[in-house]
Amino acid sequence: MAYNTTNQYGFSLQTDWQLGERNYLIAGYELSYDDLSAQSITTNSLLPIMGVDAVVGNYLYDGYQMTNAVYASMESLLPADVTLTYGARYTWVHADMDMTRIKGDNQITDGSTSDGKLIFNAGLLWRATDNLTLRASYAQGYRAPILQELYVDTAMGQNSGYTYANPDLKPETSDNFEIGARWASAYVSADVAAFYSEADDYITTLRVSDSEYRYSNVAEAKTFGIELTSSVRIAETGFEPYLTATWMRRQFQNGDGFSTYDTATPEFMLRYGVRWSGMYAGVGLRTDVFARSQSEIEYDDGVQSAAGSNSYRLGGYTTLNLTAGVDFGPKRQYSFDLGLYNIFDKGYQEQISIYEPGRYFVAKLGARF
């Protein structure tokens, strides 16, 4: 069992600068603060039969993670309808956690970690014609482990799996490349992009026994693929069939020379459907009927337990979904949206320890001021 309360606070400041006629600078600062209070209780259902307390672990967690970031991004207009973008971002992260084990005399331990990194990005965009735009970009990535990955052990999910935190996790860094093209006309739009990412100290959960996992750094992870987004407007009817499709492969390589593409990463992900928007009596209306599909996933980290291989396979799935919404008010500043998801109550998993929700709905009311 787990009882978690997280309070999140944030602040951002952005400034925009026009430098001459062909240079545009955006610079700013971001602060995020996550405060976590949690209790994790682990029980063994066989112990009461043996006359022993069923609780084998009871931990209280009280901690926070603070992230500060400063950034600057420049956009420069070059000849021949070429735009150059380039920038830098410095991120500093500090995490602190007090952990209390409730068992006999309370045992209190604490953990603390800090890290920071400067990263860069650059890109070129060329408007080849009125309808066609070509682009290429490079960006460095940086992700610090979150509090749960660092300190909070959990025992949740349908398969009674136990996931251990890892206070020795290193931040994940990456180099990311993309080339793409976009076509946009009155009735047809299409965007296709090829991407490649190479990450060091990639953060994921690795299986260490039949029912135990641990947040770990993989020495290297390579991810590559192609993403397509397209839609067609049917004259002035308001109907727009669309498709978003991703083909992706991810490879893990650890320091022992083990390499695998069975990384619990789906090879194909699709969203496809028909959306409609229009006006009636001054009210904006919209609806979307769509399906989500994902191919099977396989996992193998090369670890062998006493019971055999730690590999597993989860089947692919398709769900049908329906959303609808209205915009209303004197300036259409209010909105109400209702979504019905997984209409046929499909049972499926995207990770081995948790089943995804069956049929459910989401309602949202919004206002702009």
Side-chain angles (χ1 to χ4, degrees):
M1 294 181 291
Y3 306 91
N4 297 342
T5 300
T6 302
N7 295 313
Q8 297 179 316
Y9 308 91
F11 171 80
S12 63
L13 174 67
Q14 178 176 306
T15 61
D16 297 55
W17 306 80
Q18 184 71 47
L19 306 179
E21 296 183 357
R22 307 183 70 85
N23 297 289
Y24 184 70
L25 172 67
I26 297 175
Y29 165 77
E30 294 178 353
L31 167 68
S32 63
Y33 186 93
D34 295 340
D35 184 77
L36 172 67
S37 296
Q39 182 177 13
S40 178
I41 302 174
T42 308
T43 60
N44 188 323
S45 60
L46 297 177
L47 291 181
I49 301 175
M50 302 166 59
V52 181
D53 185 3
V55 177
V56 296
N58 191 348
Y59 292 86
L60 296 176
Y61 300 90
D62 184 17
Y64 70 90
Q65 186 170 53
M66 181 173 61
T67 303
N68 294 270
V70 291
Y71 62 89
S73 179
M74 179 75 83
E75 179 181 286
S76 298
L77 301 179
L78 304 180
D81 289 325
V82 175
T83 301
L84 170 66
T85 59
Y86 48 100
R89 179 185 180 95
Y90 179 78
T91 303
W92 180 78
V93 182
H94 177 75
D96 192 276
M97 178 68 77
D98 293 327
M99 297 159 284
T100 304
R101 181 185 181 189
I102 304 175
K103 192 75 172 178
D105 56 335
N106 293 351
Q107 301 177 9
I108 302 176
T109 58
D110 62 86
S112 179
T113 181
S114 297
D115 191 81
K117 187 172 180 62
L118 178 66
I119 59 176
F120 301 92
N121 67 84
L124 283 172
L125 184 146
W126 176 40
R127 294 176 178 83
T129 69
D130 291 340
N131 302 115
L132 179 63
T133 302
L134 305 177
R135 67 184 184 274
S137 65
Y138 163 75
Q140 295 177 319
Y142 172 79
R143 185 178 89 80
I146 62 175
L147 287 172
Q148 178 172 316
E149 295 167 336
L150 287 167
Y151 302 116
V152 183
D153 297 334
T154 59
M156 299 180 65
Q158 296 290 331
N159 296 303
S160 301
Y162 199 92
T163 302
Y164 295 101
N166 184 355
D168 296 323
L169 281 176
K170 301 175 184 178
E172 175 187 318
T173 59
S174 62
D175 294 288
N176 309 283
F177 305 85
E178 180 182 302
I179 57 172
R182 178 175 178 80
W183 174 272
S185 63
Y187 296 106
V188 177
S189 67
D191 189 294
V192 62
F195 57 88
Y196 176 82
S197 175
E198 188 166 307
D200 292 320
D201 296 317
Y202 183 82
I203 299 172
T204 187
T205 53
L206 296 182
R207 200 174 187 185
V208 296
S209 74
D210 290 336
S211 60
E212 295 179 308
Y213 306 82
R214 182 180 177 85
Y215 290 107
S216 304
N217 291 112
V218 177
E220 186 176 279
K222 296 179 180 179
T223 306
F224 56 90
I226 298 173
E227 186 172 51
L228 169 68
T229 301
S230 61
S231 64
V232 179
R233 289 183 58 227
I234 302 177
E236 303 303 325
T237 64
F239 286 98
E240 187 177 14
Y242 68 92
L243 165 69
T244 299
T246 302
W247 170 75
M248 180 169 62
R249 300 296 309 277
R250 176 170 290 145
Q251 179 188 38
F252 286 167
Q253 294 178 312
N254 64 24
D256 299 326
F258 175 75
S259 175
T260 181
Y261 280 99
D262 295 335
T263 59
T265 302
E267 187 170 356
F268 296 98
M269 293 175 286
L270 302 121
R271 172 171 170 160
Y272 44 99
V274 179
R275 53 189 172 225
W276 175 86
S277 61
M279 295 286 296
Y280 181 77
V283 175
L285 304 174
R286 59 185 174 276
T287 187
D288 189 359
V289 181
F290 66 95
R292 288 181 61 242
S293 297
Q294 179 176 295
S295 63
E296 67 179 22
I297 63 175
E298 296 187 58
Y299 174 83
D300 180 15
D301 63 4
V303 176
Q304 296 289 324
S305 70
S309 173
N310 283 325
S311 62
Y312 64 82
R313 175 187 175 276
L314 298 177
Y317 66 87
T318 295
T319 64
L320 180 65
N321 312 274
L322 170 65
T323 64
V326 297
D327 296 323
F328 57 96
K331 298 181 180 179
R332 295 173 58 191
Q333 70 271 39
Y334 305 111
S335 64
F336 177 74
D337 291 272
L338 182 65
L340 179 60
Y341 299 92
N342 198 0
I343 293 173
F344 294 123
D345 202 24
K346 173 75 173 179
Y348 66 97
Q349 292 175 271
E350 293 184 347
Q351 54 180 308
I352 193 171
S353 61
I354 299 175
Y355 278 99
E356 296 302 312
R359 186 184 301 113
Y360 69 100
F361 73 90
V362 175
K364 182 174 66 175
L365 180 65
R368 298 191 305 272
F369 300 97

